[in-house]
Amino acid sequence: MVIAARVINDVVSLVLFTLLDLLDVFLCLVYKLADYVLEAEWKPCYCSSARDMILVAERSGSKVLSLTSSTKLQLEDISDTLYSRSSLVAEVAKTTVIKLRKLKLLGHRGAVSAASARVRSATATATTFTTNSTIIHMLQGKIGGHKSHAARSWIDCGCESCTRWSSPSGSRDTLFVHAEGPQGDGKMAEEDVLFIHGFISSSAFWTETVFPNLSETTRSRYRLFAVDLLGFGKSPKPPDSLYTLREHVGMIERSVLDRFDVKSFHIVAHSLGSILALALAVKHPGAVKSLTLLSPPYFLVPKGEQRTQYVLRRVAPRRVWPLMAFGASVLCWYEHISRTVSLIMCKNHRRWELAFKLVTRNRIRTYLMDGFFCHTHNASWHTFHNIICGSAAKVDGYLDVVREQLSCDVVVFHGRDDELLPIDCSHAIQSKVPRARVRIVDDKDHITIVVGRQKAFARELEEIWNNASR
């Protein structure tokens, strides 16, 4: 039965995602026309048929982008998964050829070579997404340090909550930060804690769960900071940003460490936020007192595999089951389908929130939905590829620094029933940082590792912070 279920899942997935491949191509044309009609310009996307790639050349000591015939993008901050994502048909064909070669079921080497060549040719000509010259111009502006402050896209929401950062009194250079600390009587906080949420979420993931369940003693000792990451929640959502690791980390530093004069701090991070937490810890090695990671997206990449592409396939495996993996696959493989989801859900988030409150008679708190709705396609698309996939090669180095140069406590939590990121991710971190303590929580998944057990988790955090302060 298990084998039969896997076969059915594979077959249905192959058919469905093949149709999605075709749908995304069609939607590309639709959005090209819509952008031109509504905004009087052709908007760039990552599925251009242009064959030229981007190469970073060293000229006069600075990185300059130029069109070349190179087959690889040599730009540190940009993930190749943005422009190179093979179709499921091509990937299955390639995998089949490899398996047949191993089993020696093909007649002779010539047949194998011919089949492999056909797969490579199909992948290169029909299923590889590349960048076009418009994106190159955009990247050149980023490298040169110019910020265009372009207007929001027609598919983005224009409500006050989503655009307050672009008002004359708003700030493009700092994130929304929810801060709590000792109140009155001249009390001063003894220590600081920074909370970083995961992908398509917001600071409410912490402020609605953990913050209310911390003890009065903890509240009298610690300043608590929960940020909305760049592009999410109430933070700026600049349409000209590429949402790179450098941009995310820089915004956190300006918004919390510099603004509130934070000298040393504990970090608590969930999912994608774990990568940002590691980057911060490496950048401020003497300031981090403890590092608590929940469901970190870290994979030990097999030898010979391309790191970014391997992580993309693991996080978004293009399977209809489990449902969370299916949702991640649709949003992360298909640029224009995910843009459609943003058009339907995020642009109309106020209507969805109202409908949900009416259906539930306002009995259910909607902070998880708010986090899901309050972002833009540009933010989610670039953040996923440039942080989760693009940082695949960097995290190994970060963990080496944490192991060899940092003395802070490292604690990793993971839900045993996590269908998005397997518990192997947390064990992989322990293999790189042996002193890290891994706690596997039974009957919990990617979200319920916190939501639903916030009281217990608050006690666990207090224990971690107290132990680190001794």
Side-chain angles (χ1 to χ4, degrees):
M1 291 181 64
V2 173
I3 294 175
R6 288 177 180 173
V7 171
I8 292 173
N9 192 18
D10 288 344
V11 171
V12 174
S13 298
L14 178 61
V15 173
L16 179 58
F17 281 96
T18 299
L19 295 175
L20 291 177
D21 286 334
L22 299 174
L23 176 60
D24 203 58
V25 173
F26 171 74
L27 288 175
C28 176
L29 299 175
V30 171
Y31 282 118
K32 288 288 186 185
L33 293 174
D35 288 336
Y36 187 77
V37 171
L38 296 173
E39 298 186 13
E41 65 175 328
W42 301 106
K43 288 293 186 69
C45 68
Y46 289 101
C47 56
S48 167
S49 60
R51 296 177 61 84
D52 290 334
M53 291 294 186
I54 302 171
L55 180 67
V56 176
E58 296 293 338
R59 296 179 182 175
S60 303
S62 62
K63 292 183 177 180
V64 180
L65 293 169
S66 61
L67 275 171
T68 73
S69 58
S70 171
T71 58
K72 188 176 181 181
L73 181 64
Q74 304 288 331
L75 185 61
E76 179 185 2
D77 290 338
I78 308 300
S79 173
D80 69 292
T81 57
L82 281 168
Y83 62 85
S84 179
R85 301 180 307 281
S86 63
S87 71
L88 187 56
V89 172
E91 192 167 305
V92 169
K94 182 178 180 180
T95 303
T96 301
V97 169
I98 293 174
K99 288 183 178 180
L100 290 175
R101 177 184 292 178
K102 289 182 178 180
L103 295 174
K104 297 181 179 180
L105 293 180
L106 292 182
H108 51 81
R109 291 185 179 180
V112 174
S113 299
S116 299
R118 286 193 295 271
V119 170
R120 287 195 298 269
S121 176
T123 302
T125 59
T127 63
T128 298
F129 297 83
T130 61
T131 56
N132 60 23
S133 59
T134 308
I135 291 180
I136 292 173
H137 295 154
M138 179 176 68
L139 291 175
Q140 286 175 331
K142 296 299 294 184
I143 292 296
H146 304 299
K147 295 185 179 181
S148 64
H149 299 324
R152 66 182 181 87
S153 170
W154 62 271
I155 72 166
D156 298 334
C157 177
C159 74
E160 190 274 337
S161 177
C162 292
T163 60
R164 67 179 62 179
W165 56 274
S166 60
S167 66
S169 60
S171 173
R172 295 174 179 268
D173 299 321
T174 57
L175 305 174
F176 171 82
V177 181
H178 180 104
E180 293 186 13
Q183 301 291 326
D185 299 328
K187 293 182 179 179
M188 297 291 291
E190 299 175 22
E191 299 182 51
D192 296 319
V193 186
L194 171 62
F195 290 81
I196 309 175
H197 65 77
F199 185 54
I200 308 186
S201 185
S202 72
S203 56
F205 184 80
W206 308 111
T207 60
E208 296 284 342
T209 57
V210 177
F211 281 29
N213 287 286
L214 293 170
S215 67
E216 290 300 324
T217 301
T218 296
R219 288 175 170 277
S220 66
R221 289 185 55 199
Y222 295 89
R223 283 194 302 177
L224 311 173
F225 302 101
V227 300
D228 283 353
L229 293 177
L230 181 67
F232 298 89
K234 298 177 182 178
S235 284
K237 304 172 180 63
D240 56 343
S241 173
L242 297 176
Y243 296 89
T244 63
L245 182 68
R246 192 188 311 273
E247 288 176 285
H248 278 289
V249 171
M251 287 292 275
I252 294 174
E253 289 175 320
R254 287 193 298 273
S255 306
V256 179
L257 305 190
D258 298 341
R259 178 183 172 189
F260 293 95
D261 193 29
V262 174
K263 302 301 182 184
S264 64
F265 54 101
H266 303 268
I267 305 180
V268 183
H270 177 240
S271 193
L272 172 143
S274 300
I275 298 175
L276 302 179
L278 289 170
L280 277 168
V282 169
K283 198 169 181 180
H284 304 273
V288 178
K289 305 192 71 171
S290 72
L291 196 55
T292 304
L293 309 178
L294 292 88
S295 306
Y298 174 65
F299 297 89
L300 292 176
V301 181
K303 186 176 181 180
E305 288 276 2
Q306 188 177 357
R307 292 177 180 272
T308 53
Q309 297 289 337
Y310 180 81
V311 171
L312 174 62
R313 294 196 302 271
R314 289 300 304 271
V315 177
R318 285 183 295 183
R319 290 293 182 270
V320 297
W321 190 263
L323 289 178
M324 183 170 284
F326 172 72
S329 299
V330 171
L331 293 177
C332 301
W333 279 89
Y334 302 106
E335 181 178 2
H336 302 289
I337 294 176
S338 63
R339 190 180 183 189
T340 304
V341 173
S342 292
L343 174 61
I344 296 172
M345 304 297 290
C346 300
K347 183 180 177 66
N348 302 289
H349 70 89
R350 289 167 297 173
R351 295 185 179 91
W352 287 104
E353 291 162 5
L354 177 60
F356 190 75
K357 290 179 179 179
L358 291 175
V359 170
T360 62
R361 296 184 181 179
N362 208 27
R363 291 193 299 259
I364 300 177
R365 303 179 80 173
T366 61
Y367 62 90
L368 290 178
M369 292 184 64
D370 293 345
F372 178 79
F373 288 141
C374 292
H375 67 275
T376 65
H377 167 255
N378 184 57
S380 62
W381 179 256
H382 284 96
T383 295
F384 173 83
H385 286 281
N386 287 335
I387 305 299
I388 294 183
C389 298
S391 300
K394 301 176 183 178
V395 176
D396 280 332
Y398 293 159
L399 291 172
D400 289 340
V401 173
V402 171
R403 180 186 67 247
E404 297 170 3
Q405 300 182 24
L406 274 69
S407 59
C408 65
D409 289 344
V410 181
V411 184
V412 187
F413 290 85
H414 214 116
R416 190 176 297 279
D417 296 337
D418 194 327
E419 295 180 329
L420 186 62
L421 298 172
I423 58 177
D424 292 345
C425 292
S426 291
H427 290 308
I429 285 185
Q430 189 178 46
S431 72
K432 294 284 290 185
V433 185
R435 75 173 185 276
R437 291 172 286 155
V438 176
R439 300 183 183 180
I440 304 301
V441 184
D442 292 330
D443 302 319
K444 300 300 177 184
D445 58 27
H446 197 69
I447 300 299
T448 57
I449 188 67
V450 174
V451 179
R453 64 178 297 269
Q454 49 262 36
K455 291 183 179 180
F457 183 59
R459 300 289 84 76
E460 291 164 342
L461 285 179
E462 291 171 339
E463 179 184 357
I464 292 170
W465 301 338
N466 288 332
N467 290 337
S469 300
R470 292 173 183 172

PDB file of all heavy atoms in Angstrom, residues 398-412:
ATOM      1  N   TYR A 398      28.933  29.611   7.906  1.00  0.00           N
ATOM      2  CA  TYR A 398      28.406  30.217   9.126  1.00  0.00           C
ATOM      3  C   TYR A 398      28.506  29.243  10.298  1.00  0.00           C
ATOM      4  O   TYR A 398      28.915  29.616  11.408  1.00  0.00           O
ATOM      5  CB  TYR A 398      26.938  30.614   8.933  1.00  0.00           C
ATOM      6  CG  TYR A 398      26.704  31.734   7.941  1.00  0.00           C
ATOM      7  CD1 TYR A 398      25.465  31.911   7.342  1.00  0.00           C
ATOM      8  CD2 TYR A 398      27.725  32.621   7.606  1.00  0.00           C
ATOM      9  CE1 TYR A 398      25.231  32.937   6.438  1.00  0.00           C
ATOM     10  CE2 TYR A 398      27.510  33.647   6.699  1.00  0.00           C
ATOM     11  CZ  TYR A 398      26.265  33.800   6.115  1.00  0.00           C
ATOM     12  OH  TYR A 398      26.047  34.810   5.222  1.00  0.00           O
ATOM     13  N   LEU A 399      28.119  28.005  10.056  1.00  0.00           N
ATOM     14  CA  LEU A 399      28.148  27.009  11.128  1.00  0.00           C
ATOM     15  C   LEU A 399      29.582  26.706  11.568  1.00  0.00           C
ATOM     16  O   LEU A 399      29.831  26.440  12.753  1.00  0.00           O
ATOM     17  CB  LEU A 399      27.444  25.733  10.672  1.00  0.00           C
ATOM     18  CG  LEU A 399      25.921  25.861  10.485  1.00  0.00           C
ATOM     19  CD1 LEU A 399      25.344  24.599   9.856  1.00  0.00           C
ATOM     20  CD2 LEU A 399      25.233  26.145  11.818  1.00  0.00           C
ATOM     21  N   ASP A 400      30.517  26.750  10.628  1.00  0.00           N
ATOM     22  CA  ASP A 400      31.927  26.571  10.998  1.00  0.00           C
ATOM     23  C   ASP A 400      32.376  27.675  11.946  1.00  0.00           C
ATOM     24  O   ASP A 400      33.082  27.420  12.927  1.00  0.00           O
ATOM     25  CB  ASP A 400      32.808  26.581   9.743  1.00  0.00           C
ATOM     26  CG  ASP A 400      32.628  25.324   8.902  1.00  0.00           C
ATOM     27  OD1 ASP A 400      32.143  24.314   9.441  1.00  0.00           O
ATOM     28  OD2 ASP A 400      32.967  25.361   7.700  1.00  0.00           O
ATOM     29  N   VAL A 401      31.954  28.906  11.673  1.00  0.00           N
ATOM     30  CA  VAL A 401      32.313  30.035  12.544  1.00  0.00           C
ATOM     31  C   VAL A 401      31.652  29.877  13.909  1.00  0.00           C
ATOM     32  O   VAL A 401      32.284  30.112  14.947  1.00  0.00           O
ATOM     33  CB  VAL A 401      31.898  31.369  11.889  1.00  0.00           C
ATOM     34  CG1 VAL A 401      32.109  32.529  12.866  1.00  0.00           C
ATOM     35  CG2 VAL A 401      32.683  31.609  10.615  1.00  0.00           C
ATOM     36  N   VAL A 402      30.381  29.477  13.918  1.00  0.00           N
ATOM     37  CA  VAL A 402      29.683  29.274  15.194  1.00  0.00           C
ATOM     38  C   VAL A 402      30.388  28.199  16.018  1.00  0.00           C
ATOM     39  O   VAL A 402      30.539  28.322  17.237  1.00  0.00           O
ATOM     40  CB  VAL A 402      28.214  28.881  14.938  1.00  0.00           C
ATOM     41  CG1 VAL A 402      27.530  28.444  16.241  1.00  0.00           C
ATOM     42  CG2 VAL A 402      27.439  30.047  14.325  1.00  0.00           C
ATOM     43  N   ARG A 403      30.830  27.147  15.353  1.00  0.00           N
ATOM     44  CA  ARG A 403      31.507  26.053  16.063  1.00  0.00           C
ATOM     45  C   ARG A 403      32.874  26.476  16.591  1.00  0.00           C
ATOM     46  O   ARG A 403      33.233  26.155  17.736  1.00  0.00           O
ATOM     47  CB  ARG A 403      31.671  24.859  15.117  1.00  0.00           C
ATOM     48  CG  ARG A 403      32.372  23.662  15.764  1.00  0.00           C
ATOM     49  CD  ARG A 403      32.648  22.547  14.782  1.00  0.00           C
ATOM     50  NE  ARG A 403      33.643  22.933  13.782  1.00  0.00           N
ATOM     51  CZ  ARG A 403      33.369  23.080  12.482  1.00  0.00           C
ATOM     52  NH1 ARG A 403      32.147  22.884  12.022  1.00  0.00           N
ATOM     53  NH2 ARG A 403      34.327  23.437  11.642  1.00  0.00           N
ATOM     54  N   GLU A 404      33.637  27.216  15.791  1.00  0.00           N
ATOM     55  CA  GLU A 404      35.031  27.463  16.123  1.00  0.00           C
ATOM     56  C   GLU A 404      35.282  28.800  16.821  1.00  0.00           C
ATOM     57  O   GLU A 404      36.248  28.930  17.578  1.00  0.00           O
ATOM     58  CB  GLU A 404      35.869  27.416  14.830  1.00  0.00           C
ATOM     59  CG  GLU A 404      35.835  26.044  14.158  1.00  0.00           C
ATOM     60  CD  GLU A 404      36.463  26.062  12.771  1.00  0.00           C
ATOM     61  OE1 GLU A 404      36.977  27.142  12.376  1.00  0.00           O
ATOM     62  OE2 GLU A 404      36.435  25.026  12.085  1.00  0.00           O
ATOM     63  N   GLN A 405      34.438  29.790  16.577  1.00  0.00           N
ATOM     64  CA  GLN A 405      34.725  31.126  17.087  1.00  0.00           C
ATOM     65  C   GLN A 405      33.710  31.655  18.093  1.00  0.00           C
ATOM     66  O   GLN A 405      34.001  32.597  18.816  1.00  0.00           O
ATOM     67  CB  GLN A 405      34.830  32.114  15.913  1.00  0.00           C
ATOM     68  CG  GLN A 405      35.928  31.766  14.918  1.00  0.00           C
ATOM     69  CD  GLN A 405      36.032  32.777  13.795  1.00  0.00           C
ATOM     70  OE1 GLN A 405      35.638  33.938  13.940  1.00  0.00           O
ATOM     71  NE2 GLN A 405      36.563  32.361  12.656  1.00  0.00           N
ATOM     72  N   LEU A 406      32.512  31.076  18.127  1.00  0.00           N
ATOM     73  CA  LEU A 406      31.492  31.534  19.081  1.00  0.00           C
ATOM     74  C   LEU A 406      31.404  30.565  20.245  1.00  0.00           C
ATOM     75  O   LEU A 406      31.583  29.344  20.083  1.00  0.00           O
ATOM     76  CB  LEU A 406      30.123  31.644  18.404  1.00  0.00           C
ATOM     77  CG  LEU A 406      29.818  32.971  17.689  1.00  0.00           C
ATOM     78  CD1 LEU A 406      30.689  33.127  16.445  1.00  0.00           C
ATOM     79  CD2 LEU A 406      28.346  33.040  17.304  1.00  0.00           C
ATOM     80  N   SER A 407      31.121  31.113  21.406  1.00  0.00           N
ATOM     81  CA  SER A 407      30.976  30.270  22.601  1.00  0.00           C
ATOM     82  C   SER A 407      29.538  30.224  23.101  1.00  0.00           C
ATOM     83  O   SER A 407      29.253  29.625  24.133  1.00  0.00           O
ATOM     84  CB  SER A 407      31.888  30.782  23.720  1.00  0.00           C
ATOM     85  OG  SER A 407      31.561  32.127  24.047  1.00  0.00           O
ATOM     86  N   CYS A 408      28.626  30.851  22.378  1.00  0.00           N
ATOM     87  CA  CYS A 408      27.240  30.940  22.838  1.00  0.00           C
ATOM     88  C   CYS A 408      26.550  29.581  22.797  1.00  0.00           C
ATOM     89  O   CYS A 408      26.944  28.673  22.041  1.00  0.00           O
ATOM     90  CB  CYS A 408      26.464  31.934  21.969  1.00  0.00           C
ATOM     91  SG  CYS A 408      26.289  31.430  20.249  1.00  0.00           S
ATOM     92  N   ASP A 409      25.512  29.443  23.623  1.00  0.00           N
ATOM     93  CA  ASP A 409      24.696  28.231  23.599  1.00  0.00           C
ATOM     94  C   ASP A 409      23.929  28.161  22.280  1.00  0.00           C
ATOM     95  O   ASP A 409      23.456  29.179  21.770  1.00  0.00           O
ATOM     96  CB  ASP A 409      23.699  28.234  24.756  1.00  0.00           C
ATOM     97  CG  ASP A 409      24.374  28.014  26.097  1.00  0.00           C
ATOM     98  OD1 ASP A 409      25.531  27.559  26.097  1.00  0.00           O
ATOM     99  OD2 ASP A 409      23.751  28.308  27.131  1.00  0.00           O
ATOM    100  N   VAL A 410      23.795  26.965  21.729  1.00  0.00           N
ATOM    101  CA  VAL A 410      23.030  26.751  20.501  1.00  0.00           C
ATOM    102  C   VAL A 410      22.005  25.656  20.782  1.00  0.00           C
ATOM    103  O   VAL A 410      22.362  24.538  21.135  1.00  0.00           O
ATOM    104  CB  VAL A 410      23.935  26.334  19.324  1.00  0.00           C
ATOM    105  CG1 VAL A 410      23.092  26.141  18.062  1.00  0.00           C
ATOM    106  CG2 VAL A 410      25.026  27.357  19.097  1.00  0.00           C
ATOM    107  N   VAL A 411      20.719  26.013  20.652  1.00  0.00           N
ATOM    108  CA  VAL A 411      19.637  25.064  20.898  1.00  0.00           C
ATOM    109  C   VAL A 411      18.740  25.036  19.668  1.00  0.00           C
ATOM    110  O   VAL A 411      18.365  26.092  19.139  1.00  0.00           O
ATOM    111  CB  VAL A 411      18.807  25.438  22.143  1.00  0.00           C
ATOM    112  CG1 VAL A 411      17.748  24.368  22.416  1.00  0.00           C
ATOM    113  CG2 VAL A 411      19.713  25.612  23.358  1.00  0.00           C
ATOM    114  N   VAL A 412      18.396  23.837  19.202  1.00  0.00           N
ATOM    115  CA  VAL A 412      17.592  23.680  17.994  1.00  0.00           C
ATOM    116  C   VAL A 412      16.335  22.882  18.326  1.00  0.00           C
ATOM    117  O   VAL A 412      16.419  21.797  18.904  1.00  0.00           O
ATOM    118  CB  VAL A 412      18.382  22.967  16.880  1.00  0.00           C
ATOM    119  CG1 VAL A 412      17.593  22.958  15.578  1.00  0.00           C
ATOM    120  CG2 VAL A 412      19.744  23.619  16.671  1.00  0.00           C
TER     121      VAL A 412
END
